[in-house]
Amino acid sequence: MSRKDVDVPRTGGQIDELQSLRGIAAVVVMIGHCLAYWQRPYWIDRLLEVLNGHGCVVIFFVLSGFVLARSLRRAALDRGAIESFYVRRLFRIYPALWAASLLSLAYVMFLHWQVPIEDSSAWFQERFKREYFTPLGIAASFAGALGFLIPPVWSILVELVYSAAMPFVVLVARRGTITLFVLTIVALIVSIRFGQHSYYGVAAYGIDFILGAWLAFLPAGVAKHWASSTLRIPIASASIAVLLSCRVIWSATMHDAFVHLIELASAWILVGSIAVGAFRPSLLRSAPLIQLGEISYSLYLLHFPIMCISAKVIHALNRGGSPVASGMMLLAVTGAVSLVASYGQYRWVELPGIRLGRRMVPLIDRRRATG
């Protein structure tokens, strides 16, 4: 863009409050899955609608669009820079995905069908379909193209697709506001027209990443006005309220276009309010929440197989117990084990993968120079 970019405050290259928001969203997704595991009373279903795990995933997408565009906005974006971006992104995503997929594969091979749980919910019984338990299905799961081993991986596929598109989005944004606006309208039309009918709803979510990219290219005057507005706190608070209530008010399928756009608008306002400094609650600057954000990707991947394994143990120990009690036990065990496991995976899988990706970049550059 020709106008000056927004000067977003930084701490070590990241905005701590956004990191905390990512961690909170991952925990909400985990809570929703644990409460949805068993057959449950009506009020649990209403609670799940309030928690709105899908809205949390939309927050992930907007955040990714902002963070990725922000990382690229001053890059050269020639062939070498784009290749380097792709290498770093792949090494960021895949090591943790493969480690979590190995755990889930072990669960599927040795526990899932061997130890049946009759009172699991219809939602859970739709997971781990036998027809996908094939070499191709397993390979697709490890590639992030199939949510067989880890059902939340559908969103990782979305991340992969739009990570690949992000250099193009940034190039469009650099040409000016009008071109980025045109791209946004095209993405909106694609989302509404094709989103619900596309594979894992992938077509629905390009608009999320593009709107996230808008935040990285906001003109400084707009960001300053947003950050200083007397309505900044009520607006951010209202966005949270809408995220928590939209699926209570409008009952809809996961990829429903109308509800998704409401979630997207709310998530964009919330992420944008934090990014420009209009909404920075002190709670989000607390060390535990920042650390939770650091491990949020591993938590998002690992909690599902850990939940499935924990459910088998709880079922054996609490046969005949109420679904609510079983759900609370499952949440407590899954949460505790997942936090510990996620910290370990972050430290010994994610970080080494990130460092390896960085080391690969100069090797690729030298190979291209000598090739």
PDB file of all heavy atoms in Angstrom, residues 61-98:
ATOM      1  N   PHE A  61      -7.776 -18.189  12.285  1.00  0.00           N
ATOM      2  CA  PHE A  61      -7.569 -17.849  10.880  1.00  0.00           C
ATOM      3  C   PHE A  61      -7.261 -16.357  10.712  1.00  0.00           C
ATOM      4  O   PHE A  61      -6.362 -15.978   9.948  1.00  0.00           O
ATOM      5  CB  PHE A  61      -8.786 -18.229  10.053  1.00  0.00           C
ATOM      6  CG  PHE A  61      -9.039 -19.713   9.957  1.00  0.00           C
ATOM      7  CD1 PHE A  61     -10.304 -20.204   9.632  1.00  0.00           C
ATOM      8  CD2 PHE A  61      -8.025 -20.627  10.182  1.00  0.00           C
ATOM      9  CE1 PHE A  61     -10.536 -21.573   9.526  1.00  0.00           C
ATOM     10  CE2 PHE A  61      -8.245 -21.990  10.087  1.00  0.00           C
ATOM     11  CZ  PHE A  61      -9.502 -22.470   9.758  1.00  0.00           C
ATOM     12  N   VAL A  62      -8.018 -15.507  11.386  1.00  0.00           N
ATOM     13  CA  VAL A  62      -7.768 -14.070  11.301  1.00  0.00           C
ATOM     14  C   VAL A  62      -6.383 -13.755  11.857  1.00  0.00           C
ATOM     15  O   VAL A  62      -5.629 -12.964  11.276  1.00  0.00           O
ATOM     16  CB  VAL A  62      -8.857 -13.283  12.051  1.00  0.00           C
ATOM     17  CG1 VAL A  62      -8.529 -11.787  12.062  1.00  0.00           C
ATOM     18  CG2 VAL A  62     -10.222 -13.509  11.406  1.00  0.00           C
ATOM     19  N   LEU A  63      -6.037 -14.364  12.972  1.00  0.00           N
ATOM     20  CA  LEU A  63      -4.712 -14.175  13.557  1.00  0.00           C
ATOM     21  C   LEU A  63      -3.614 -14.591  12.588  1.00  0.00           C
ATOM     22  O   LEU A  63      -2.605 -13.882  12.423  1.00  0.00           O
ATOM     23  CB  LEU A  63      -4.595 -14.991  14.845  1.00  0.00           C
ATOM     24  CG  LEU A  63      -4.908 -14.278  16.161  1.00  0.00           C
ATOM     25  CD1 LEU A  63      -4.965 -15.284  17.310  1.00  0.00           C
ATOM     26  CD2 LEU A  63      -3.882 -13.209  16.456  1.00  0.00           C
ATOM     27  N   SER A  64      -3.792 -15.745  11.958  1.00  0.00           N
ATOM     28  CA  SER A  64      -2.786 -16.214  11.006  1.00  0.00           C
ATOM     29  C   SER A  64      -2.641 -15.251   9.843  1.00  0.00           C
ATOM     30  O   SER A  64      -1.521 -14.945   9.402  1.00  0.00           O
ATOM     31  CB  SER A  64      -3.152 -17.613  10.492  1.00  0.00           C
ATOM     32  OG  SER A  64      -2.972 -18.585  11.493  1.00  0.00           O
ATOM     33  N   GLY A  65      -3.763 -14.760   9.313  1.00  0.00           N
ATOM     34  CA  GLY A  65      -3.695 -13.805   8.222  1.00  0.00           C
ATOM     35  C   GLY A  65      -2.921 -12.560   8.624  1.00  0.00           C
ATOM     36  O   GLY A  65      -2.087 -12.049   7.854  1.00  0.00           O
ATOM     37  N   PHE A  66      -3.172 -12.070   9.828  1.00  0.00           N
ATOM     38  CA  PHE A  66      -2.466 -10.883  10.311  1.00  0.00           C
ATOM     39  C   PHE A  66      -0.985 -11.154  10.521  1.00  0.00           C
ATOM     40  O   PHE A  66      -0.120 -10.405  10.037  1.00  0.00           O
ATOM     41  CB  PHE A  66      -3.106 -10.421  11.624  1.00  0.00           C
ATOM     42  CG  PHE A  66      -2.306  -9.374  12.356  1.00  0.00           C
ATOM     43  CD1 PHE A  66      -2.055  -8.140  11.783  1.00  0.00           C
ATOM     44  CD2 PHE A  66      -1.802  -9.633  13.615  1.00  0.00           C
ATOM     45  CE1 PHE A  66      -1.313  -7.171  12.455  1.00  0.00           C
ATOM     46  CE2 PHE A  66      -1.055  -8.682  14.297  1.00  0.00           C
ATOM     47  CZ  PHE A  66      -0.813  -7.446  13.716  1.00  0.00           C
ATOM     48  N   VAL A  67      -0.661 -12.236  11.219  1.00  0.00           N
ATOM     49  CA  VAL A  67       0.735 -12.534  11.562  1.00  0.00           C
ATOM     50  C   VAL A  67       1.551 -12.826  10.307  1.00  0.00           C
ATOM     51  O   VAL A  67       2.681 -12.339  10.153  1.00  0.00           O
ATOM     52  CB  VAL A  67       0.804 -13.709  12.550  1.00  0.00           C
ATOM     53  CG1 VAL A  67       2.241 -14.180  12.751  1.00  0.00           C
ATOM     54  CG2 VAL A  67       0.188 -13.301  13.896  1.00  0.00           C
ATOM     55  N   LEU A  68       0.993 -13.617   9.390  1.00  0.00           N
ATOM     56  CA  LEU A  68       1.739 -13.960   8.177  1.00  0.00           C
ATOM     57  C   LEU A  68       1.939 -12.736   7.289  1.00  0.00           C
ATOM     58  O   LEU A  68       3.030 -12.516   6.748  1.00  0.00           O
ATOM     59  CB  LEU A  68       1.020 -15.066   7.413  1.00  0.00           C
ATOM     60  CG  LEU A  68       0.947 -16.429   8.118  1.00  0.00           C
ATOM     61  CD1 LEU A  68       0.144 -17.420   7.277  1.00  0.00           C
ATOM     62  CD2 LEU A  68       2.336 -16.979   8.397  1.00  0.00           C
ATOM     63  N   ALA A  69       0.893 -11.941   7.109  1.00  0.00           N
ATOM     64  CA  ALA A  69       1.034 -10.731   6.288  1.00  0.00           C
ATOM     65  C   ALA A  69       2.009  -9.760   6.935  1.00  0.00           C
ATOM     66  O   ALA A  69       2.809  -9.114   6.235  1.00  0.00           O
ATOM     67  CB  ALA A  69      -0.330 -10.076   6.098  1.00  0.00           C
ATOM     68  N   ARG A  70       1.968  -9.649   8.239  1.00  0.00           N
ATOM     69  CA  ARG A  70       2.890  -8.764   8.957  1.00  0.00           C
ATOM     70  C   ARG A  70       4.344  -9.203   8.781  1.00  0.00           C
ATOM     71  O   ARG A  70       5.254  -8.386   8.679  1.00  0.00           O
ATOM     72  CB  ARG A  70       2.491  -8.760  10.433  1.00  0.00           C
ATOM     73  CG  ARG A  70       3.279  -7.855  11.347  1.00  0.00           C
ATOM     74  CD  ARG A  70       2.547  -7.741  12.668  1.00  0.00           C
ATOM     75  NE  ARG A  70       3.388  -7.176  13.696  1.00  0.00           N
ATOM     76  CZ  ARG A  70       3.817  -7.838  14.757  1.00  0.00           C
ATOM     77  NH1 ARG A  70       3.494  -9.117  14.908  1.00  0.00           N
ATOM     78  NH2 ARG A  70       4.563  -7.253  15.668  1.00  0.00           N
ATOM     79  N   SER A  71       4.546 -10.529   8.732  1.00  0.00           N
ATOM     80  CA  SER A  71       5.911 -11.042   8.557  1.00  0.00           C
ATOM     81  C   SER A  71       6.428 -10.830   7.135  1.00  0.00           C
ATOM     82  O   SER A  71       7.636 -10.809   6.911  1.00  0.00           O
ATOM     83  CB  SER A  71       5.967 -12.535   8.908  1.00  0.00           C
ATOM     84  OG  SER A  71       5.325 -13.324   7.922  1.00  0.00           O
ATOM     85  N   LEU A  72       5.506 -10.672   6.178  1.00  0.00           N
ATOM     86  CA  LEU A  72       5.891 -10.545   4.771  1.00  0.00           C
ATOM     87  C   LEU A  72       5.817  -9.130   4.230  1.00  0.00           C
ATOM     88  O   LEU A  72       6.294  -8.871   3.125  1.00  0.00           O
ATOM     89  CB  LEU A  72       4.980 -11.431   3.906  1.00  0.00           C
ATOM     90  CG  LEU A  72       5.139 -12.943   4.042  1.00  0.00           C
ATOM     91  CD1 LEU A  72       4.005 -13.652   3.300  1.00  0.00           C
ATOM     92  CD2 LEU A  72       6.488 -13.405   3.507  1.00  0.00           C
ATOM     93  N   ARG A  73       5.247  -8.215   4.974  1.00  0.00           N
ATOM     94  CA  ARG A  73       4.893  -6.924   4.377  1.00  0.00           C
ATOM     95  C   ARG A  73       6.104  -6.124   3.908  1.00  0.00           C
ATOM     96  O   ARG A  73       5.987  -5.294   3.004  1.00  0.00           O
ATOM     97  CB  ARG A  73       4.053  -6.093   5.360  1.00  0.00           C
ATOM     98  CG  ARG A  73       4.752  -5.711   6.636  1.00  0.00           C
ATOM     99  CD  ARG A  73       3.808  -4.972   7.561  1.00  0.00           C
ATOM    100  NE  ARG A  73       4.452  -4.699   8.841  1.00  0.00           N
ATOM    101  CZ  ARG A  73       3.870  -4.052   9.839  1.00  0.00           C
ATOM    102  NH1 ARG A  73       2.635  -3.622   9.700  1.00  0.00           N
ATOM    103  NH2 ARG A  73       4.507  -3.844  10.970  1.00  0.00           N
ATOM    104  N   ARG A  74       7.273  -6.344   4.518  1.00  0.00           N
ATOM    105  CA  ARG A  74       8.473  -5.623   4.072  1.00  0.00           C
ATOM    106  C   ARG A  74       9.497  -6.553   3.415  1.00  0.00           C
ATOM    107  O   ARG A  74      10.616  -6.141   3.149  1.00  0.00           O
ATOM    108  CB  ARG A  74       9.101  -4.891   5.262  1.00  0.00           C
ATOM    109  CG  ARG A  74       8.236  -3.747   5.776  1.00  0.00           C
ATOM    110  CD  ARG A  74       8.955  -2.878   6.784  1.00  0.00           C
ATOM    111  NE  ARG A  74       8.109  -1.758   7.173  1.00  0.00           N
ATOM    112  CZ  ARG A  74       7.300  -1.759   8.218  1.00  0.00           C
ATOM    113  NH1 ARG A  74       7.240  -2.827   8.989  1.00  0.00           N
ATOM    114  NH2 ARG A  74       6.567  -0.703   8.512  1.00  0.00           N
ATOM    115  N   ALA A  75       9.115  -7.797   3.169  1.00  0.00           N
ATOM    116  CA  ALA A  75      10.023  -8.741   2.509  1.00  0.00           C
ATOM    117  C   ALA A  75      10.082  -8.450   1.012  1.00  0.00           C
ATOM    118  O   ALA A  75       9.165  -7.856   0.432  1.00  0.00           O
ATOM    119  CB  ALA A  75       9.552 -10.174   2.742  1.00  0.00           C
ATOM    120  N   ALA A  76      11.167  -8.883   0.381  1.00  0.00           N
ATOM    121  CA  ALA A  76      11.342  -8.625  -1.057  1.00  0.00           C
ATOM    122  C   ALA A  76      10.292  -9.346  -1.886  1.00  0.00           C
ATOM    123  O   ALA A  76       9.855  -8.865  -2.933  1.00  0.00           O
ATOM    124  CB  ALA A  76      12.736  -9.067  -1.484  1.00  0.00           C
ATOM    125  N   LEU A  77       9.892 -10.527  -1.461  1.00  0.00           N
ATOM    126  CA  LEU A  77       8.902 -11.350  -2.161  1.00  0.00           C
ATOM    127  C   LEU A  77       9.303 -11.677  -3.597  1.00  0.00           C
ATOM    128  O   LEU A  77       8.451 -11.751  -4.492  1.00  0.00           O
ATOM    129  CB  LEU A  77       7.511 -10.707  -2.120  1.00  0.00           C
ATOM    130  CG  LEU A  77       6.822 -10.716  -0.748  1.00  0.00           C
ATOM    131  CD1 LEU A  77       5.390 -10.239  -0.855  1.00  0.00           C
ATOM    132  CD2 LEU A  77       6.867 -12.099  -0.104  1.00  0.00           C
ATOM    133  N   ASP A  78      10.611 -11.865  -3.803  1.00  0.00           N
ATOM    134  CA  ASP A  78      11.049 -12.476  -5.039  1.00  0.00           C
ATOM    135  C   ASP A  78      10.951 -13.991  -4.873  1.00  0.00           C
ATOM    136  O   ASP A  78      10.477 -14.487  -3.851  1.00  0.00           O
ATOM    137  CB  ASP A  78      12.469 -12.052  -5.390  1.00  0.00           C
ATOM    138  CG  ASP A  78      13.453 -12.300  -4.251  1.00  0.00           C
ATOM    139  OD1 ASP A  78      13.110 -13.058  -3.308  1.00  0.00           O
ATOM    140  OD2 ASP A  78      14.556 -11.742  -4.288  1.00  0.00           O
ATOM    141  N   ARG A  79      11.408 -14.715  -5.870  1.00  0.00           N
ATOM    142  CA  ARG A  79      11.261 -16.177  -5.813  1.00  0.00           C
ATOM    143  C   ARG A  79      11.938 -16.767  -4.575  1.00  0.00           C
ATOM    144  O   ARG A  79      11.372 -17.618  -3.884  1.00  0.00           O
ATOM    145  CB  ARG A  79      11.856 -16.799  -7.078  1.00  0.00           C
ATOM    146  CG  ARG A  79      11.816 -18.318  -7.064  1.00  0.00           C
ATOM    147  CD  ARG A  79      12.480 -18.900  -8.306  1.00  0.00           C
ATOM    148  NE  ARG A  79      12.625 -20.346  -8.199  1.00  0.00           N
ATOM    149  CZ  ARG A  79      13.257 -21.090  -9.097  1.00  0.00           C
ATOM    150  NH1 ARG A  79      13.797 -20.518 -10.169  1.00  0.00           N
ATOM    151  NH2 ARG A  79      13.346 -22.392  -8.932  1.00  0.00           N
ATOM    152  N   GLY A  80      13.132 -16.281  -4.276  1.00  0.00           N
ATOM    153  CA  GLY A  80      13.865 -16.818  -3.132  1.00  0.00           C
ATOM    154  C   GLY A  80      13.157 -16.545  -1.814  1.00  0.00           C
ATOM    155  O   GLY A  80      13.079 -17.413  -0.950  1.00  0.00           O
ATOM    156  N   ALA A  81      12.629 -15.335  -1.650  1.00  0.00           N
ATOM    157  CA  ALA A  81      11.942 -14.983  -0.410  1.00  0.00           C
ATOM    158  C   ALA A  81      10.670 -15.808  -0.224  1.00  0.00           C
ATOM    159  O   ALA A  81      10.345 -16.237   0.894  1.00  0.00           O
ATOM    160  CB  ALA A  81      11.621 -13.493  -0.409  1.00  0.00           C
ATOM    161  N   ILE A  82       9.943 -16.034  -1.312  1.00  0.00           N
ATOM    162  CA  ILE A  82       8.715 -16.818  -1.222  1.00  0.00           C
ATOM    163  C   ILE A  82       9.033 -18.277  -0.896  1.00  0.00           C
ATOM    164  O   ILE A  82       8.368 -18.896  -0.059  1.00  0.00           O
ATOM    165  CB  ILE A  82       7.911 -16.696  -2.531  1.00  0.00           C
ATOM    166  CG1 ILE A  82       7.398 -15.262  -2.685  1.00  0.00           C
ATOM    167  CG2 ILE A  82       6.744 -17.688  -2.541  1.00  0.00           C
ATOM    168  CD1 ILE A  82       6.721 -14.986  -4.008  1.00  0.00           C
ATOM    169  N   GLU A  83      10.056 -18.829  -1.537  1.00  0.00           N
ATOM    170  CA  GLU A  83      10.464 -20.199  -1.228  1.00  0.00           C
ATOM    171  C   GLU A  83      10.890 -20.319   0.237  1.00  0.00           C
ATOM    172  O   GLU A  83      10.547 -21.302   0.920  1.00  0.00           O
ATOM    173  CB  GLU A  83      11.595 -20.645  -2.145  1.00  0.00           C
ATOM    174  CG  GLU A  83      11.166 -20.906  -3.579  1.00  0.00           C
ATOM    175  CD  GLU A  83      12.326 -21.346  -4.455  1.00  0.00           C
ATOM    176  OE1 GLU A  83      13.475 -21.394  -3.950  1.00  0.00           O
ATOM    177  OE2 GLU A  83      12.092 -21.640  -5.649  1.00  0.00           O
ATOM    178  N   SER A  84      11.627 -19.335   0.731  1.00  0.00           N
ATOM    179  CA  SER A  84      12.060 -19.356   2.126  1.00  0.00           C
ATOM    180  C   SER A  84      10.859 -19.305   3.069  1.00  0.00           C
ATOM    181  O   SER A  84      10.822 -20.004   4.084  1.00  0.00           O
ATOM    182  CB  SER A  84      12.986 -18.170   2.403  1.00  0.00           C
ATOM    183  OG  SER A  84      14.160 -18.251   1.623  1.00  0.00           O
ATOM    184  N   PHE A  85       9.876 -18.491   2.719  1.00  0.00           N
ATOM    185  CA  PHE A  85       8.647 -18.404   3.524  1.00  0.00           C
ATOM    186  C   PHE A  85       7.947 -19.756   3.575  1.00  0.00           C
ATOM    187  O   PHE A  85       7.521 -20.211   4.641  1.00  0.00           O
ATOM    188  CB  PHE A  85       7.723 -17.341   2.938  1.00  0.00           C
ATOM    189  CG  PHE A  85       6.329 -17.359   3.504  1.00  0.00           C
ATOM    190  CD1 PHE A  85       6.074 -16.872   4.773  1.00  0.00           C
ATOM    191  CD2 PHE A  85       5.272 -17.879   2.760  1.00  0.00           C
ATOM    192  CE1 PHE A  85       4.783 -16.897   5.305  1.00  0.00           C
ATOM    193  CE2 PHE A  85       3.980 -17.896   3.272  1.00  0.00           C
ATOM    194  CZ  PHE A  85       3.735 -17.410   4.550  1.00  0.00           C
ATOM    195  N   TYR A  86       7.852 -20.422   2.415  1.00  0.00           N
ATOM    196  CA  TYR A  86       7.186 -21.721   2.381  1.00  0.00           C
ATOM    197  C   TYR A  86       7.946 -22.760   3.211  1.00  0.00           C
ATOM    198  O   TYR A  86       7.333 -23.559   3.933  1.00  0.00           O
ATOM    199  CB  TYR A  86       7.064 -22.207   0.935  1.00  0.00           C
ATOM    200  CG  TYR A  86       6.036 -21.475   0.111  1.00  0.00           C
ATOM    201  CD1 TYR A  86       6.133 -21.426  -1.282  1.00  0.00           C
ATOM    202  CD2 TYR A  86       4.955 -20.833   0.703  1.00  0.00           C
ATOM    203  CE1 TYR A  86       5.196 -20.762  -2.053  1.00  0.00           C
ATOM    204  CE2 TYR A  86       4.018 -20.166  -0.058  1.00  0.00           C
ATOM    205  CZ  TYR A  86       4.146 -20.127  -1.433  1.00  0.00           C
ATOM    206  OH  TYR A  86       3.202 -19.462  -2.178  1.00  0.00           O
ATOM    207  N   VAL A  87       9.262 -22.761   3.120  1.00  0.00           N
ATOM    208  CA  VAL A  87      10.062 -23.730   3.878  1.00  0.00           C
ATOM    209  C   VAL A  87       9.850 -23.522   5.380  1.00  0.00           C
ATOM    210  O   VAL A  87       9.603 -24.474   6.127  1.00  0.00           O
ATOM    211  CB  VAL A  87      11.555 -23.609   3.512  1.00  0.00           C
ATOM    212  CG1 VAL A  87      12.418 -24.402   4.490  1.00  0.00           C
ATOM    213  CG2 VAL A  87      11.787 -24.104   2.090  1.00  0.00           C
ATOM    214  N   ARG A  88       9.942 -22.273   5.822  1.00  0.00           N
ATOM    215  CA  ARG A  88       9.753 -21.998   7.254  1.00  0.00           C
ATOM    216  C   ARG A  88       8.347 -22.379   7.701  1.00  0.00           C
ATOM    217  O   ARG A  88       8.164 -22.915   8.805  1.00  0.00           O
ATOM    218  CB  ARG A  88      10.009 -20.523   7.541  1.00  0.00           C
ATOM    219  CG  ARG A  88      11.467 -20.101   7.398  1.00  0.00           C
ATOM    220  CD  ARG A  88      11.700 -18.737   8.027  1.00  0.00           C
ATOM    221  NE  ARG A  88      10.834 -17.717   7.443  1.00  0.00           N
ATOM    222  CZ  ARG A  88      11.143 -16.991   6.375  1.00  0.00           C
ATOM    223  NH1 ARG A  88      12.314 -17.181   5.764  1.00  0.00           N
ATOM    224  NH2 ARG A  88      10.308 -16.084   5.910  1.00  0.00           N
ATOM    225  N   ARG A  89       7.376 -22.125   6.860  1.00  0.00           N
ATOM    226  CA  ARG A  89       5.989 -22.437   7.227  1.00  0.00           C
ATOM    227  C   ARG A  89       5.777 -23.944   7.341  1.00  0.00           C
ATOM    228  O   ARG A  89       5.114 -24.423   8.270  1.00  0.00           O
ATOM    229  CB  ARG A  89       5.041 -21.855   6.181  1.00  0.00           C
ATOM    230  CG  ARG A  89       3.588 -21.801   6.612  1.00  0.00           C
ATOM    231  CD  ARG A  89       3.389 -20.840   7.726  1.00  0.00           C
ATOM    232  NE  ARG A  89       1.993 -20.846   8.192  1.00  0.00           N
ATOM    233  CZ  ARG A  89       1.628 -20.653   9.443  1.00  0.00           C
ATOM    234  NH1 ARG A  89       2.525 -20.455  10.377  1.00  0.00           N
ATOM    235  NH2 ARG A  89       0.367 -20.652   9.773  1.00  0.00           N
ATOM    236  N   LEU A  90       6.324 -24.713   6.406  1.00  0.00           N
ATOM    237  CA  LEU A  90       6.174 -26.168   6.443  1.00  0.00           C
ATOM    238  C   LEU A  90       6.841 -26.759   7.683  1.00  0.00           C
ATOM    239  O   LEU A  90       6.286 -27.647   8.328  1.00  0.00           O
ATOM    240  CB  LEU A  90       6.754 -26.790   5.173  1.00  0.00           C
ATOM    241  CG  LEU A  90       5.985 -26.505   3.876  1.00  0.00           C
ATOM    242  CD1 LEU A  90       6.743 -27.067   2.680  1.00  0.00           C
ATOM    243  CD2 LEU A  90       4.577 -27.075   3.931  1.00  0.00           C
ATOM    244  N   PHE A  91       8.030 -26.250   8.019  1.00  0.00           N
ATOM    245  CA  PHE A  91       8.712 -26.758   9.206  1.00  0.00           C
ATOM    246  C   PHE A  91       8.043 -26.268  10.489  1.00  0.00           C
ATOM    247  O   PHE A  91       8.248 -26.856  11.546  1.00  0.00           O
ATOM    248  CB  PHE A  91      10.191 -26.356   9.185  1.00  0.00           C
ATOM    249  CG  PHE A  91      11.048 -27.279   8.367  1.00  0.00           C
ATOM    250  CD1 PHE A  91      11.246 -27.059   7.007  1.00  0.00           C
ATOM    251  CD2 PHE A  91      11.637 -28.393   8.948  1.00  0.00           C
ATOM    252  CE1 PHE A  91      12.025 -27.925   6.246  1.00  0.00           C
ATOM    253  CE2 PHE A  91      12.422 -29.263   8.197  1.00  0.00           C
ATOM    254  CZ  PHE A  91      12.621 -29.030   6.845  1.00  0.00           C
ATOM    255  N   ARG A  92       7.249 -25.221  10.388  1.00  0.00           N
ATOM    256  CA  ARG A  92       6.471 -24.772  11.542  1.00  0.00           C
ATOM    257  C   ARG A  92       5.262 -25.670  11.781  1.00  0.00           C
ATOM    258  O   ARG A  92       4.893 -25.945  12.922  1.00  0.00           O
ATOM    259  CB  ARG A  92       6.003 -23.325  11.304  1.00  0.00           C
ATOM    260  CG  ARG A  92       5.105 -22.759  12.424  1.00  0.00           C
ATOM    261  CD  ARG A  92       5.915 -22.567  13.677  1.00  0.00           C
ATOM    262  NE  ARG A  92       5.093 -22.096  14.794  1.00  0.00           N
ATOM    263  CZ  ARG A  92       4.487 -22.885  15.662  1.00  0.00           C
ATOM    264  NH1 ARG A  92       4.576 -24.210  15.533  1.00  0.00           N
ATOM    265  NH2 ARG A  92       3.797 -22.378  16.662  1.00  0.00           N
ATOM    266  N   ILE A  93       4.654 -26.134  10.708  1.00  0.00           N
ATOM    267  CA  ILE A  93       3.390 -26.861  10.829  1.00  0.00           C
ATOM    268  C   ILE A  93       3.595 -28.365  10.993  1.00  0.00           C
ATOM    269  O   ILE A  93       2.972 -28.998  11.865  1.00  0.00           O
ATOM    270  CB  ILE A  93       2.503 -26.575   9.596  1.00  0.00           C
ATOM    271  CG1 ILE A  93       2.006 -25.121   9.640  1.00  0.00           C
ATOM    272  CG2 ILE A  93       1.317 -27.543   9.529  1.00  0.00           C
ATOM    273  CD1 ILE A  93       1.244 -24.690   8.398  1.00  0.00           C
ATOM    274  N   TYR A  94       4.463 -28.968  10.181  1.00  0.00           N
ATOM    275  CA  TYR A  94       4.454 -30.420  10.064  1.00  0.00           C
ATOM    276  C   TYR A  94       5.088 -31.205  11.218  1.00  0.00           C
ATOM    277  O   TYR A  94       4.558 -32.267  11.581  1.00  0.00           O
ATOM    278  CB  TYR A  94       5.071 -30.837   8.736  1.00  0.00           C
ATOM    279  CG  TYR A  94       4.061 -30.832   7.614  1.00  0.00           C
ATOM    280  CD1 TYR A  94       4.137 -29.912   6.584  1.00  0.00           C
ATOM    281  CD2 TYR A  94       2.999 -31.741   7.605  1.00  0.00           C
ATOM    282  CE1 TYR A  94       3.202 -29.894   5.567  1.00  0.00           C
ATOM    283  CE2 TYR A  94       2.058 -31.721   6.596  1.00  0.00           C
ATOM    284  CZ  TYR A  94       2.157 -30.802   5.577  1.00  0.00           C
ATOM    285  OH  TYR A  94       1.216 -30.785   4.580  1.00  0.00           O
ATOM    286  N   PRO A  95       6.197 -30.809  11.816  1.00  0.00           N
ATOM    287  CA  PRO A  95       6.760 -31.652  12.882  1.00  0.00           C
ATOM    288  C   PRO A  95       5.762 -31.940  14.011  1.00  0.00           C
ATOM    289  O   PRO A  95       5.600 -33.094  14.439  1.00  0.00           O
ATOM    290  CB  PRO A  95       7.965 -30.847  13.371  1.00  0.00           C
ATOM    291  CG  PRO A  95       8.398 -30.086  12.164  1.00  0.00           C
ATOM    292  CD  PRO A  95       7.129 -29.699  11.472  1.00  0.00           C
ATOM    293  N   ALA A  96       5.071 -30.922  14.494  1.00  0.00           N
ATOM    294  CA  ALA A  96       4.089 -31.128  15.558  1.00  0.00           C
ATOM    295  C   ALA A  96       2.905 -31.954  15.059  1.00  0.00           C
ATOM    296  O   ALA A  96       2.369 -32.803  15.786  1.00  0.00           O
ATOM    297  CB  ALA A  96       3.606 -29.781  16.093  1.00  0.00           C
ATOM    298  N   LEU A  97       2.486 -31.715  13.818  1.00  0.00           N
ATOM    299  CA  LEU A  97       1.389 -32.496  13.249  1.00  0.00           C
ATOM    300  C   LEU A  97       1.756 -33.966  13.161  1.00  0.00           C
ATOM    301  O   LEU A  97       0.946 -34.843  13.494  1.00  0.00           O
ATOM    302  CB  LEU A  97       1.034 -31.947  11.862  1.00  0.00           C
ATOM    303  CG  LEU A  97      -0.003 -32.743  11.061  1.00  0.00           C
ATOM    304  CD1 LEU A  97      -1.330 -32.833  11.806  1.00  0.00           C
ATOM    305  CD2 LEU A  97      -0.197 -32.121   9.674  1.00  0.00           C
ATOM    306  N   TRP A  98       2.965 -34.265  12.727  1.00  0.00           N
ATOM    307  CA  TRP A  98       3.388 -35.660  12.618  1.00  0.00           C
ATOM    308  C   TRP A  98       3.482 -36.334  13.998  1.00  0.00           C
ATOM    309  O   TRP A  98       3.080 -37.484  14.148  1.00  0.00           O
ATOM    310  CB  TRP A  98       4.734 -35.736  11.903  1.00  0.00           C
ATOM    311  CG  TRP A  98       4.642 -35.402  10.445  1.00  0.00           C
ATOM    312  CD1 TRP A  98       3.525 -35.445   9.658  1.00  0.00           C
ATOM    313  CD2 TRP A  98       5.704 -34.967   9.596  1.00  0.00           C
ATOM    314  NE1 TRP A  98       3.824 -35.065   8.371  1.00  0.00           N
ATOM    315  CE2 TRP A  98       5.150 -34.761   8.302  1.00  0.00           C
ATOM    316  CE3 TRP A  98       7.056 -34.722   9.793  1.00  0.00           C
ATOM    317  CZ2 TRP A  98       5.911 -34.335   7.219  1.00  0.00           C
ATOM    318  CZ3 TRP A  98       7.833 -34.287   8.718  1.00  0.00           C
ATOM    319  CH2 TRP A  98       7.258 -34.106   7.449  1.00  0.00           C
TER     320      TRP A  98
END
